[in-house]
Amino acid sequence: MASGILPVPTDPTLLADIRRYGKFDITGCYQCGSCTLSCDLASDSVNFPRKSIRYALLGLRTPLVGGLEPWLCEDCGDCTIVCPRQADPRTSMITLRRFLCGQYDWTGIAARLLRSRTWYMASLILVAALTVVLILGYHLWYMGLPASQLTTALGLEHMFPTITYYTLVVILFPFLLLLSRVLRIWRLTMSGEHAPASAYWSEAWASLRHAVTQSRMRKCPSEHRRWIGHWFLATGTGTMLAVKVFGLRWFQTDNIYPIYNPQRWIGYLAAAFILYGGATVLVRRLQAQKEMRPRDWGLPILLLLTAVSGLSVNIFRYTGFALCAHFAYALHVVIATPMLLVEMTFGKWAHMLYRPLAFYFQAVKERAAQQIPAQEGAGYAV
Ligand code: SF4
Ligand code: SF4
């Protein structure tokens, strides 16, 4: 063994494990490196997709799970076009991201949902059904309304104090669970880097900048149009989540405001962004010539339905259809709850945390590498 090369145990089950998350058809790969050469986002310090594929082929679980590369891929597909072995590295990177989501979640629920269509669909339906039970329970038992009055046109104000706490729980629970994974991801990807605190501090804005601008996607020349839709979707959902967490009492009211009031136009703008961004994602996926799973459709569809039902509540309220507003509001809660508790907590939406975090940690690694003299030959030789 060459001096400085770390001995790493191989895991013969790794490939089979990855394939439980989706297509990973890379056995024909002969490591020519054309995919990496074609990738506009690969560099000397982030060598992908070839390196990740190589780790998987060799059964090197530890460096694969400790790698950030799959999150740095923006899914443009250039590598798949140039691959002489039709190994489809782009799809392999998608599968690796699902696999990593499963590794990051300490509850094991994400792994189940990402591997099984049945578990995914059943969890969405179960949470939606429980939400219906909670809504009925609130009206019939908590408020003591007779069943005959469930179809009576009432204002929504009576439920706002309760729904405020409910909304905070279904938004903050996923956030807290996601934050608990930050420590786990740091341990898996950064604990061996010995990066100084100054590197974390000086690169903190890199993650924030990416989360706000989604600018990395623009570096792929073929992805400019996709970046616009993605930016609208990320900005719309981010705005709506911020409003729901920090300004729910102001945003959620039966008061009638003029159109120029921020309470209205901020909501309309965020909903329009989500509708445009979600629609472009759906159209792109319909046109895509790649493997799609139900969970690939789940998030954009749920986001669109949440935005449409939320807008419907507003329209019915402002046009005086109180009973319609009441039912539209119940439908909005029934759609939004599984989206937050299943998709955001254990599904694809978790990437809104993982991607910026990966950019941040990668920037920290690169900053630390400039500050700490490189240990010659150290690392995994692939
Ligand atoms: S271009 Fe294809 S064959 Fe070459 S390294 Fe990449 S995945 Fe393997
Ligand atoms: S899909 Fe695009 S960004 Fe991702 S590895 Fe391939 S070329 Fe690079």
Side-chain angles (χ1 to χ4, degrees), residues 338-361:
M339 182 183 72
L340 292 166
L341 292 184
V342 177
E343 267 295 345
M344 187 162 142
T345 318
F346 303 106
K348 273 197 87 173
W349 208 5
H351 81 262
M352 78 173 177
L353 171 72
Y354 299 156
R355 265 196 198 278
L357 199 64
F359 299 138
Y360 175 43
F361 286 167

Short mmCIF file of all heavy atoms in Angstrom, two decimals, residues 338-361:
data_model
loop_
_atom_site.label_atom_id
_atom_site.label_comp_id
_atom_site.label_asym_id
_atom_site.label_seq_id
_atom_site.Cartn_x
_atom_site.Cartn_y
_atom_site.Cartn_z
N PRO A 338 -49.91 17.01 5.12
CA PRO A 338 -49.01 15.93 4.67
C PRO A 338 -47.82 16.47 3.89
O PRO A 338 -46.73 15.88 3.93
CB PRO A 338 -49.89 15.03 3.80
CG PRO A 338 -51.14 15.77 3.56
CD PRO A 338 -51.27 16.81 4.61
N MET A 339 -48.01 17.60 3.18
CA MET A 339 -46.88 18.15 2.45
C MET A 339 -45.76 18.55 3.43
O MET A 339 -44.58 18.27 3.19
CB MET A 339 -47.32 19.38 1.65
CG MET A 339 -46.21 19.99 0.81
SD MET A 339 -46.73 21.47 -0.06
CE MET A 339 -46.87 22.63 1.28
N LEU A 340 -46.15 19.13 4.56
CA LEU A 340 -45.14 19.57 5.52
C LEU A 340 -44.60 18.40 6.34
O LEU A 340 -43.39 18.28 6.55
CB LEU A 340 -45.75 20.62 6.47
CG LEU A 340 -46.09 21.96 5.80
CD1 LEU A 340 -46.99 22.79 6.70
CD2 LEU A 340 -44.82 22.73 5.49
N LEU A 341 -45.50 17.53 6.81
CA LEU A 341 -45.05 16.46 7.71
C LEU A 341 -44.39 15.29 6.99
O LEU A 341 -43.55 14.60 7.57
CB LEU A 341 -46.23 15.95 8.56
CG LEU A 341 -46.79 16.94 9.57
CD1 LEU A 341 -47.88 16.29 10.41
CD2 LEU A 341 -45.69 17.48 10.48
N VAL A 342 -44.78 15.05 5.73
CA VAL A 342 -44.19 13.92 5.01
C VAL A 342 -43.11 14.41 4.04
O VAL A 342 -41.95 14.01 4.12
CB VAL A 342 -45.28 13.13 4.24
CG1 VAL A 342 -44.65 11.99 3.44
CG2 VAL A 342 -46.30 12.57 5.22
N GLU A 343 -43.50 15.33 3.13
CA GLU A 343 -42.55 15.76 2.09
C GLU A 343 -41.39 16.57 2.66
O GLU A 343 -40.24 16.34 2.32
CB GLU A 343 -43.27 16.60 1.03
CG GLU A 343 -43.78 15.82 -0.15
CD GLU A 343 -42.67 15.19 -0.97
OE1 GLU A 343 -41.50 15.56 -0.83
OE2 GLU A 343 -42.98 14.29 -1.76
N MET A 344 -41.71 17.54 3.51
CA MET A 344 -40.65 18.41 4.02
C MET A 344 -39.79 17.67 5.04
O MET A 344 -38.59 17.89 5.12
CB MET A 344 -41.29 19.64 4.67
CG MET A 344 -40.30 20.69 5.09
SD MET A 344 -41.21 22.21 5.31
CE MET A 344 -40.45 22.92 6.69
N THR A 345 -40.38 16.77 5.80
CA THR A 345 -39.65 16.12 6.88
C THR A 345 -38.87 14.92 6.40
O THR A 345 -37.72 14.72 6.79
CB THR A 345 -40.63 15.69 7.99
OG1 THR A 345 -41.58 16.71 8.20
CG2 THR A 345 -39.90 15.39 9.28
N PHE A 346 -39.49 14.11 5.53
CA PHE A 346 -38.85 12.85 5.16
C PHE A 346 -38.70 12.66 3.65
O PHE A 346 -38.12 11.69 3.21
CB PHE A 346 -39.67 11.66 5.71
CG PHE A 346 -39.85 11.72 7.20
CD1 PHE A 346 -41.07 12.05 7.76
CD2 PHE A 346 -38.78 11.45 8.04
CE1 PHE A 346 -41.22 12.12 9.14
CE2 PHE A 346 -38.93 11.51 9.41
CZ PHE A 346 -40.16 11.85 9.96
N GLY A 347 -39.25 13.56 2.86
CA GLY A 347 -39.26 13.35 1.41
C GLY A 347 -38.27 14.24 0.68
O GLY A 347 -37.26 14.69 1.22
N LYS A 348 -38.61 14.51 -0.58
CA LYS A 348 -37.68 15.26 -1.45
C LYS A 348 -37.44 16.69 -0.99
O LYS A 348 -36.42 17.28 -1.27
CB LYS A 348 -38.25 15.28 -2.88
CG LYS A 348 -37.88 14.08 -3.69
CD LYS A 348 -38.10 14.35 -5.15
CE LYS A 348 -36.88 15.00 -5.76
NZ LYS A 348 -36.94 15.16 -7.19
N TRP A 349 -38.43 17.25 -0.32
CA TRP A 349 -38.33 18.66 0.04
C TRP A 349 -37.19 18.93 1.01
O TRP A 349 -36.74 20.07 1.17
CB TRP A 349 -39.65 19.15 0.62
CG TRP A 349 -39.87 20.61 0.40
CD1 TRP A 349 -39.08 21.47 -0.31
CD2 TRP A 349 -40.95 21.40 0.90
NE1 TRP A 349 -39.61 22.73 -0.30
CE2 TRP A 349 -40.75 22.71 0.44
CE3 TRP A 349 -42.07 21.11 1.68
CZ2 TRP A 349 -41.63 23.74 0.73
CZ3 TRP A 349 -42.94 22.14 1.97
CH2 TRP A 349 -42.73 23.44 1.50
N ALA A 350 -36.70 17.86 1.68
CA ALA A 350 -35.59 18.05 2.62
C ALA A 350 -34.36 18.61 1.91
O ALA A 350 -33.46 19.15 2.54
CB ALA A 350 -35.25 16.72 3.30
N HIS A 351 -34.33 18.50 0.57
CA HIS A 351 -33.16 19.03 -0.15
C HIS A 351 -33.04 20.54 -0.01
O HIS A 351 -31.99 21.11 -0.26
CB HIS A 351 -33.19 18.61 -1.63
CG HIS A 351 -34.07 19.44 -2.49
ND1 HIS A 351 -35.33 19.07 -2.84
CD2 HIS A 351 -33.87 20.62 -3.10
CE1 HIS A 351 -35.88 19.98 -3.61
NE2 HIS A 351 -35.02 20.95 -3.79
N MET A 352 -34.13 21.21 0.38
CA MET A 352 -34.02 22.67 0.59
C MET A 352 -33.04 22.97 1.72
O MET A 352 -32.50 24.08 1.80
CB MET A 352 -35.38 23.29 0.86
CG MET A 352 -35.90 23.08 2.23
SD MET A 352 -37.41 24.02 2.50
CE MET A 352 -37.76 23.48 4.17
N LEU A 353 -32.81 22.00 2.61
CA LEU A 353 -31.79 22.14 3.64
C LEU A 353 -30.46 21.53 3.18
O LEU A 353 -29.39 22.13 3.33
CB LEU A 353 -32.24 21.47 4.94
CG LEU A 353 -31.16 21.37 6.01
CD1 LEU A 353 -30.86 22.74 6.60
CD2 LEU A 353 -31.55 20.40 7.11
N TYR A 354 -30.54 20.33 2.59
CA TYR A 354 -29.31 19.60 2.30
C TYR A 354 -28.44 20.29 1.25
O TYR A 354 -27.22 20.32 1.37
CB TYR A 354 -29.64 18.18 1.82
CG TYR A 354 -30.38 17.35 2.83
CD1 TYR A 354 -31.18 16.27 2.43
CD2 TYR A 354 -30.31 17.62 4.19
CE1 TYR A 354 -31.86 15.51 3.36
CE2 TYR A 354 -30.99 16.86 5.11
CZ TYR A 354 -31.77 15.81 4.69
OH TYR A 354 -32.45 15.04 5.61
N ARG A 355 -29.06 20.84 0.23
CA ARG A 355 -28.25 21.48 -0.82
C ARG A 355 -27.47 22.69 -0.32
O ARG A 355 -26.24 22.74 -0.44
CB ARG A 355 -29.14 21.88 -2.01
CG ARG A 355 -29.17 20.87 -3.12
CD ARG A 355 -29.73 21.51 -4.38
NE ARG A 355 -30.16 20.49 -5.31
CZ ARG A 355 -29.36 19.83 -6.12
NH1 ARG A 355 -28.07 20.07 -6.11
NH2 ARG A 355 -29.84 18.93 -6.94
N PRO A 356 -28.15 23.69 0.29
CA PRO A 356 -27.38 24.83 0.80
C PRO A 356 -26.33 24.40 1.82
O PRO A 356 -25.23 24.96 1.86
CB PRO A 356 -28.44 25.73 1.45
CG PRO A 356 -29.73 25.30 0.91
CD PRO A 356 -29.60 23.87 0.52
N LEU A 357 -26.68 23.38 2.63
CA LEU A 357 -25.72 22.91 3.62
C LEU A 357 -24.49 22.30 2.94
O LEU A 357 -23.35 22.53 3.37
CB LEU A 357 -26.40 21.86 4.51
CG LEU A 357 -25.75 21.57 5.85
CD1 LEU A 357 -25.75 22.79 6.74
CD2 LEU A 357 -26.45 20.40 6.54
N ALA A 358 -24.73 21.56 1.87
CA ALA A 358 -23.60 20.95 1.14
C ALA A 358 -22.72 22.04 0.52
O ALA A 358 -21.49 21.94 0.57
CB ALA A 358 -24.13 20.02 0.04
N PHE A 359 -23.33 23.08 -0.05
CA PHE A 359 -22.52 24.18 -0.62
C PHE A 359 -21.70 24.84 0.48
O PHE A 359 -20.54 25.19 0.29
CB PHE A 359 -23.41 25.23 -1.29
CG PHE A 359 -24.21 24.66 -2.43
CD1 PHE A 359 -25.53 25.03 -2.60
CD2 PHE A 359 -23.66 23.76 -3.32
CE1 PHE A 359 -26.28 24.50 -3.63
CE2 PHE A 359 -24.40 23.23 -4.35
CZ PHE A 359 -25.71 23.60 -4.50
N TYR A 360 -22.35 25.00 1.63
CA TYR A 360 -21.66 25.63 2.76
C TYR A 360 -20.47 24.79 3.21
O TYR A 360 -19.34 25.29 3.31
CB TYR A 360 -22.67 25.81 3.89
CG TYR A 360 -22.10 26.35 5.18
CD1 TYR A 360 -21.20 27.41 5.17
CD2 TYR A 360 -22.49 25.83 6.41
CE1 TYR A 360 -20.68 27.92 6.35
CE2 TYR A 360 -21.98 26.33 7.59
CZ TYR A 360 -21.08 27.36 7.56
OH TYR A 360 -20.57 27.87 8.73
N PHE A 361 -20.71 23.51 3.45
CA PHE A 361 -19.63 22.65 3.92
C PHE A 361 -18.51 22.52 2.87
O PHE A 361 -17.34 22.46 3.20
CB PHE A 361 -20.17 21.27 4.29
CG PHE A 361 -20.94 21.25 5.60
CD1 PHE A 361 -21.72 20.16 5.95
CD2 PHE A 361 -20.86 22.32 6.48
CE1 PHE A 361 -22.41 20.14 7.15
CE2 PHE A 361 -21.56 22.31 7.68
CZ PHE A 361 -22.34 21.22 8.02
#
